[in-house]
Amino acid sequence: MSDKILIVDDSLTVRMDLAAAFEEAGFQPLLCGSVAEAREVFARETVAAAVLDVILPDGDGVELLTELRAAPSGAAIPVLMLSSEAEVKDRIRGLKTGADEYVGKPYDAKHVVGRTRELLRTKRGDVSERTTVLIVEDSITFREALSEAFRDAGYAVLTAESGEEGLVIAADRRPNVAIVDGQLPGMDGTMMIRRIRLDAALRGIACVLLTGSEDRVSELYAFDAGADAFVRKGDDIELILAKIAAVLRGTAASPQFELGSLLGPRKILAVDDSPTFLHSLADALRGEGYDMVLARSGEEALDLLAVQPVDCILLDLMMPGIGGKETCIRIKASPGLRDIPLILLTALDDRTAMLEGLGAGADDYIAKSSEFEVLKARVRAQIRRKQFEDENRRIREELLHNELEAAEARAAQVLAETRAALVGELERKNKELEAFSYSVSHDLRAPLRAIDGFSRALIEDCRDKLDADGLDYLNRVRAAAQRMGELIDDMLQLSRVTRADFARRPVDISTIAREVAFDLRREDEARQVELKITPDLVAEVDSRLMRIVLENLMGNAWKFTRGRESPVIEFGVTGADEPTFFVRDNGAGFNMQHVDKLFRPFQRLHTEQEFPGTGIGLATIQRVIDRHGGRVWAEAVVGQGATFYFTLPQPRAAVLAA
């Protein structure tokens, strides 16, 4: 089904002219002469794009555009405003309201269709899934036979009768391959191929020269012009199809939309305070296929450029208000405008004015004349230069992108190699650490047990031979040996927490807390401590490591509530978005100024005489919680107790299951 184009204009001539052009291009035009008709059509039809006149008998085209943009179905459709150049403010108002393009009357119907097609292609991001073939042949019989064969083979087919028409279609539709007859009226096939190859936006199109000549020179001319292949009209159709398929495989050609074609419609901004010269200039350039945007002052030009890009600027040097030189300086100072080719026009033919204009940033300078041939050539040259610069910029960006990708690949390889080396080094260090742990566990414990054992034997066997000082010294030796053993046990536990196997599963943490509380009561039956444990607290954790956490936290709470008249230890949870577990007591507490030292190994906030310990337990807790992906922190008040909080983020699978 062809796209429907809404055309709204009060002129029957304009409506019919545009309708014929859109129908010829394969679209279905929907014609309206007023705002009311347009509303009715838009309400019942699905419109792909719209062409709106600004001045309508029952309303304003810009206001109609506002209504279209406000409707859900009209927010994204391409809209072209079509009106006379008389009012610059209408153009600015339309573009600011949301028009994608503004075409001034008198217009070129093919330009309107081409621009609409380009906007549709850009908005949709679509490129035809079928390979497109452009056949340029002046013989109707052969052209139709060739077209039918390619359609039967699954190609999309475009046709033209002359080289000039073929170039316009190539710029508008960007086919994958062009099959061009060598002998054409006007521009011949080799010239057309040369023009395609000179156009940066079209040179990716594969070109095949077609001729009825058996002369070998024709083949040489074809390849010299830039053709990818050469076929003869006398060849079998199947052979021609096979050659085209081979050309497409070899060139991997695909339509390129990054650059505007030199042959496509170009927009020229002409700025001059003389209406006579301005309209003469516009008429001359429209004859070359350019879309003209007219401004009568530097101020109008700057306002227009703020809302509509152009391909070239023709700027009068001597104007009231902001003159041509100042306007040029402002344009070239703007990052978004400075690359637009700008040609200064003046009636002054002197060297000083030329130098001043070029010094202001102009790309070219030409004296005013009623003969516009030189000006046309300068405009073509500037647009061609800009296209080549754009192409070079794109190539540089692609090269830079490729270099960055290569650098990233090299960096990734180095990173992988480094990571592998580090993993190997880590495995070696872990083995060394395991050997050290074994040595600590076996080699150091034996002498400590001997020191403690012989000291105890000496006390038991020689008590009557030792005075009070001797007995005190031996008891101190035993206490030091036992404390050394405790330190070794805690250090081994700290190292094992990081290296031990880690297996998460749903665990009732409340049950672990009750088991730890039972052990604490059994070891110190004389104490009366109130233990509050919230039931049924379940999380996916490593049960062995979680027992270490609760043994340390609840053991500390048991220790630091010693001496309280009514000691209370509580285990529970708080928080809705992220459950936060806690162990709270009403014991000694600590000074929050030193909280940053709390989870460091061997850091203690109380003396050994007040509360014995090794200072490793909280560091062990932090490592366990880290392995679970959580965090741990504490709050306390001296003399009123402490609360230790920790989180246990759940794996995604567990969260989804919940």
Side-chain angles (χ1 to χ4, degrees), residues 95-366:
L95 291 167
K96 284 185 175 180
T97 302
D100 297 281
E101 183 61 280
Y102 195 110
V103 178
K105 295 179 180 178
Y107 61 86
D108 180 272
K110 289 186 177 180
H111 165 68
V112 175
V113 173
R115 190 70 183 107
T116 302
R117 194 195 308 278
E118 188 173 347
L119 288 171
L120 284 169
R121 190 164 50 205
T122 302
K123 291 242 179 184
R124 294 170 175 171
D126 60 352
V127 176
S128 175
E129 295 181 359
R130 290 196 298 166
T131 301
T132 303
V133 177
L134 169 61
I135 300 173
V136 186
E137 167 64 61
D138 59 333
S139 167
I140 298 177
T141 304
F142 189 77
R143 184 173 69 242
E144 290 303 319
L146 202 57
S147 298
E148 184 178 356
F150 274 101
R151 289 192 187 97
D152 291 342
Y155 293 90
V157 178
L158 305 170
T159 61
E161 298 180 9
S162 66
E164 292 82 358
E165 183 185 3
L167 287 175
V168 172
I169 293 174
D172 179 29
R173 303 296 295 273
R174 313 290 177 93
N176 299 83
V177 59
I179 304 173
V180 187
D181 186 12
Q183 300 294 322
L184 292 168
M187 178 188 300
D188 64 15
T190 56
M191 178 57 69
M192 177 181 168
I193 293 174
R194 282 195 175 92
R195 292 282 297 275
I196 288 176
R197 291 291 178 250
L198 287 173
D199 195 319
L202 305 181
R203 63 178 54 146
I205 298 172
C207 294
V208 177
L209 191 71
L210 180 67
T211 183
S213 173
E214 296 293 331
D215 190 355
R216 292 283 299 174
V217 176
S218 298
E219 187 172 349
L220 295 177
Y221 282 155
F223 290 118
D224 183 60
D228 297 287
F230 179 88
V231 294
R232 290 184 170 84
K233 290 185 178 181
D235 293 339
D236 184 81
I237 292 291
E238 293 298 324
L239 178 60
I240 295 176
L241 288 171
K243 284 186 177 181
I244 298 303
V247 168
L248 288 170
R249 286 195 304 270
T251 59
S254 61
Q256 300 179 15
F257 305 124
E258 296 88 351
L259 296 173
S261 168
L262 293 173
L263 304 169
R266 292 289 181 157
K267 197 178 297 296
I268 308 295
L269 171 60
V271 189
D272 199 295
D273 60 330
S274 168
T276 303
F277 181 80
L278 190 62
H279 286 287
S280 297
L281 178 63
D283 291 341
L285 290 175
R286 283 195 187 99
E288 296 293 306
Y290 296 114
D291 178 33
M292 300 302 298
V293 181
L294 307 184
R296 295 161 186 79
S297 67
E299 290 88 346
E300 284 189 353
L302 293 172
D303 289 341
L304 281 166
L305 290 171
V307 295
Q308 184 172 44
V310 297
D311 297 293
C312 186
I313 301 171
L314 303 177
L315 182 61
D316 186 18
L317 184 62
M318 305 299 294
M319 291 185 297
I322 302 178
K325 180 180 176 182
E326 178 62 25
T327 304
C328 177
I329 291 172
R330 294 192 187 186
I331 290 172
K332 293 300 181 180
S334 173
L337 304 176
R338 64 173 57 137
D339 292 334
I340 300 174
L342 189 150
I343 302 175
L344 280 177
L345 307 175
T346 182
L348 301 176
D349 189 11
D350 64 71
R351 186 171 178 275
T352 302
M354 183 184 298
L355 293 175
E356 286 182 357
L358 295 174
D363 299 283
D364 202 350
Y365 186 103
I366 188 170

Side-chain angles (χ1 to χ4, degrees), residues 376-557:
K376 293 176 185 177
R378 298 280 186 92
V379 169
R380 285 194 297 270
Q382 288 297 330
I383 291 177
R384 186 179 293 111
R385 176 189 62 79
K386 177 62 166 54
Q387 189 204 44
F388 291 157
E389 288 178 356
D390 289 343
E391 183 189 24
N392 289 334
R393 185 182 297 109
R394 179 176 60 82
I395 292 172
R396 287 196 301 271
E397 289 174 353
E398 288 180 359
L399 291 174
L400 179 60
H401 177 71
N402 293 338
E403 290 176 2
L404 288 174
E405 285 187 341
E408 288 175 357
R410 290 193 297 270
Q413 182 179 0
V414 171
L415 180 61
E417 293 172 352
T418 303
R419 183 176 290 142
L422 288 174
V423 169
E425 181 68 11
L426 181 60
E427 290 177 352
R428 186 176 67 81
K429 293 294 184 184
N430 281 336
K431 290 180 180 178
E432 291 178 358
L433 183 58
E434 289 175 3
F436 173 73
S437 298
Y438 180 86
S439 175
V440 169
S441 179
H442 294 78
D443 299 344
L444 292 184
R445 286 184 183 207
L448 286 173
R449 285 195 298 267
I451 293 170
D452 183 45
F454 283 118
S455 297
R456 184 180 62 191
L458 188 59
I459 291 172
E460 292 174 353
D461 297 344
C462 303
R463 180 182 294 276
D464 56 340
K465 298 178 183 180
L466 297 171
D467 57 13
D469 288 339
L471 289 172
D472 181 55
Y473 293 155
L474 285 173
N475 283 323
R476 291 191 181 190
V477 169
R478 287 198 66 199
Q482 291 168 3
R483 177 168 171 74
M484 183 70 172
E486 292 174 358
L487 278 169
I488 291 172
D489 289 340
D490 287 348
M491 289 175 62
L492 286 172
Q493 186 182 61
L494 181 64
S495 65
R496 287 169 183 160
V497 161
T498 306
R499 297 182 292 109
D501 293 337
F502 184 75
R504 298 182 80 144
R505 61 182 180 82
V507 173
D508 188 336
I509 306 176
S510 298
T511 299
I512 297 177
R514 284 194 293 269
E515 292 172 355
V516 172
F518 177 80
D519 293 340
L520 290 170
R521 288 188 188 280
R522 187 176 56 181
E523 293 174 3
D524 195 355
E525 295 179 352
R527 290 190 64 192
Q528 296 297 317
V529 178
E530 183 182 359
L531 286 160
K532 300 178 180 179
I533 298 174
T534 303
D536 302 324
L537 298 181
V538 178
E540 277 208 16
V541 296
D542 185 293
S543 59
R544 184 183 58 82
L545 294 179
M546 189 50 53
R547 177 174 290 276
I548 292 173
V549 170
L550 292 180
E551 284 176 347
N552 278 280
L553 288 178
M554 295 179 70
N556 283 348

